[in-house]
Amino acid sequence: MPEELIRLNRIRAKMAATLTHLPNYTCTQTVERSSRPGPSRRFRLEDTLRIEVAFVDGREMFAWPGESKFEEKSLEELSQKGSFGTGTFAGFASNVFRSDAPTFRYEGEDVVDGRRTHRYGYEVPQFRSTFLMRVNTLKGIAGYRGSFWSDADTDEVLRLSIEAFDIPPQLDIQASTDLIEYQKVPIGGVPYLLPKTAELTMVGSRGVESKNLVRLTNCRQYAGESTLIFDEAPESGPTSTPAPPQPPAEINVPAGLSLELRLEAPVDTAALAVGDPVRFVLLKDAKYKNSTFIPKGATVTARITFARTFMEARPYQLIALDLAELTFPGATARPKATLQEAGFYPIPGQDARLNPTPYRIPGLRAVAVPAGIRNLFLVPSTGVKLTQGLTFRWRTD
């Protein structure tokens, strides 16, 4: 048997064992999304998305930062914008190293980050592929090919590339490439080989390119949601088990409530990412039919839904946020509300003569924001810190 084939079998077996014995874990995933109109132009950063991703039994599950419950939603369901490919971290490695779908070829020696490596090419035809590509609401299965680089001394995989082919025509994509870098990361005190970064680039039929630069940080073991089951306890006696605390009741918030909220901590607008939580506290009782419905001091979490810098004669930022959760003793709610005032910063008016998404700001050009984005306010500079104590006024829908 040729040495290249013996080495390939050894590398695949080692990577398959690594993937099989990975614990369930979660990381913070930061995605910088950029675009350019053609290869002769520079990429321009569109926005940054930050989410929590959990890898549970080989599946990718997502949650917004600060939330405890992960769901099997895709990135585009969370962000409602952009181009994505599923399985960037969990799926591709498993399919290449654990399945019989790919065919392989030896491509010689190479150097990666100063380490001598062996490079192998692989290919998975469309009819054997599970590579699901998505562009907004459209999706389809593509074939894929690429290479992987393994350390010549340890057989440890350092890099994996993926290039789509036979892309479904309805996706309007000319090309899609992905490059994943790996590193050893301690999970529960044990080092495991995990993805570190990935760079996904897509080219549309008209030459417009989009690029997602993905970083995984703060990886730790995923414990899941604990559920305590109590045996039936005697009604009295010193060994009685106390009843577990009751979770707060979820309430529906009526329309028309005025919520005056105070920012609880400074917010650095230069570091904002879509998905970041922003904490507030309610300054006054919210009244409904002359009675207090939500008491003063209730805590409110909002979430960034849009954050982008625009470079004009004077640079400025547009930021949008939605209320995510409101809590006070004994109750919790997920209110829908419209931003009425944003501290000292103006709220841009919508210009209905253009279309539902562009916003015209006095003295500045009309700018387009994704459909569905609301509660925008303008910061007339870049890198501004929204100070603690800044007030935001909302009205519930």
Side-chain angles (χ1 to χ4, degrees):
M1 183 180 294
E3 174 62 27
E4 292 83 1
L5 182 56
I6 295 172
R7 186 187 305 111
L8 172 64
N9 291 337
R10 193 169 63 235
I11 294 167
R12 294 189 72 204
K14 183 169 185 175
M15 190 63 166
T18 297
L19 294 169
T20 300
H21 295 100
L22 272 179
N24 293 335
Y25 67 100
T26 179
C27 303
T28 300
Q29 180 169 318
T30 303
V31 187
E32 294 180 356
R33 303 189 286 195
S34 306
S35 67
R36 63 180 180 181
S40 63
R41 306 289 291 275
R42 297 178 61 182
F43 277 101
R44 181 174 65 88
L45 180 65
E46 296 285 350
D47 62 12
T48 302
L49 172 69
R50 190 155 26 243
I51 57 174
E52 294 293 317
V53 56
F55 301 90
V56 180
D57 300 330
R59 305 190 314 274
E60 295 179 0
M61 303 173 70
F62 299 98
W64 289 119
E67 291 187 347
S68 60
K69 184 178 180 180
F70 287 85
E71 299 182 40
E72 237 180 325
K73 288 184 177 180
S74 56
L75 281 178
E76 78 281 357
E77 288 179 283
L78 286 176
S79 68
Q80 300 176 348
K81 171 183 177 290
S83 303
F84 301 96
T86 62
T88 296
F89 292 116
F92 282 124
S94 182
N95 288 338
V96 171
F97 296 103
R98 298 175 65 184
S99 78
D100 59 359
T103 55
F104 295 92
R105 66 189 178 279
Y106 182 63
E107 296 180 334
E109 292 193 11
D110 209 340
V111 176
V112 174
D113 295 334
R115 299 166 69 174
R116 188 170 67 91
T117 66
H118 293 286
R119 186 178 75 247
Y120 286 83
Y122 69 90
E123 183 168 314
V124 178
Q126 187 185 44
F127 73 91
R128 304 191 73 180
S129 174
T130 57
F131 179 18
L132 179 63
M133 300 183 68
R134 301 176 188 263
V135 178
N136 297 319
T137 59
L138 301 175
K139 57 186 177 181
I141 297 290
Y144 60 100
R145 60 170 72 96
S147 300
F148 67 83
W149 290 255
S150 64
D151 187 282
D153 297 321
T154 65
D155 292 334
E156 181 180 292
V157 174
L158 305 179
R159 178 181 291 171
L160 174 66
S161 72
I162 304 103
E163 176 188 354
F165 68 95
D166 287 341
I167 301 172
Q170 72 270 19
L171 298 183
D172 200 27
I173 294 176
Q174 284 185 3
S176 172
T177 59
D178 208 343
L179 183 66
I180 304 172
E181 304 277 355
Y182 290 87
Q183 67 177 355
K184 283 289 186 68
V185 177
I187 302 291
V190 179
Y192 290 96
L193 187 68
L194 299 180
K196 175 177 64 174
T197 62
E199 184 173 296
L200 169 66
T201 303
M202 288 188 179
V203 183
S205 62
R206 289 175 291 278
V208 177
E209 296 183 48
S210 64
K211 180 170 69 175
N212 292 351
L213 179 60
V214 185
R215 297 191 306 275
L216 287 184
T217 57
N218 191 28
C219 295
R220 63 272 186 203
Q221 195 153 6
Y222 174 66
E225 294 184 351
S226 299
T227 302
L228 298 178
I229 301 175
F230 294 86
D231 292 330
E232 187 175 338
E235 295 182 0
S236 61
T239 60
S240 296
T241 303
Q246 293 299 311
E250 185 160 345
I251 61 173
N252 293 319
V253 177
L257 296 189
S258 179
L259 305 178
E260 188 171 343
L261 305 181
R262 181 187 68 217
L263 194 61
E264 280 296 273
V267 174
D268 184 357
T269 61
L272 281 181
V274 173
D276 282 351
V278 180
R279 313 293 183 189
F280 295 92
V281 66
L282 185 64
L283 287 175
K284 300 177 181 177
D285 292 344
K287 302 281 189 176
Y288 179 67
K289 295 183 177 179
N290 298 322
S291 297
T292 297
F293 191 86
I294 303 172
K296 172 184 174 180
T299 58
V300 180
T301 300
R303 200 164 298 284
I304 299 295
T305 57
F306 184 82
R308 188 172 300 174
T309 298
F310 295 88
M311 305 302 294
E312 304 242 345
R314 54 184 177 88
Y316 65 95
Q317 291 175 284
L318 278 181
I319 298 171
L321 68 169
D322 281 346
L323 299 189
E325 187 178 47
L326 182 153
T327 60
F328 57 92
T332 183
R334 296 184 177 273
K336 298 292 185 182
T338 300
L339 185 60
Q340 306 290 307
E341 295 178 9
F344 301 108
Y345 301 101
I347 297 177
Q350 188 172 355
D351 190 340
R353 294 171 301 171
L354 298 173
N355 63 52
T357 55
Y359 283 78
R360 184 172 295 281
I361 299 149
L364 300 171
R365 66 185 176 96
V367 298
V369 298
I373 295 296
R374 56 201 295 268
N375 300 326
L376 279 164
F377 63 97
L378 182 147
V379 179
S381 185
T382 57
V384 169
K385 284 186 171 57
L386 306 183
T387 57
Q388 183 178 3
L390 202 62
T391 57
F392 287 63
R393 188 169 61 83
W394 300 72
R395 182 169 292 278
T396 58
D397 299 336

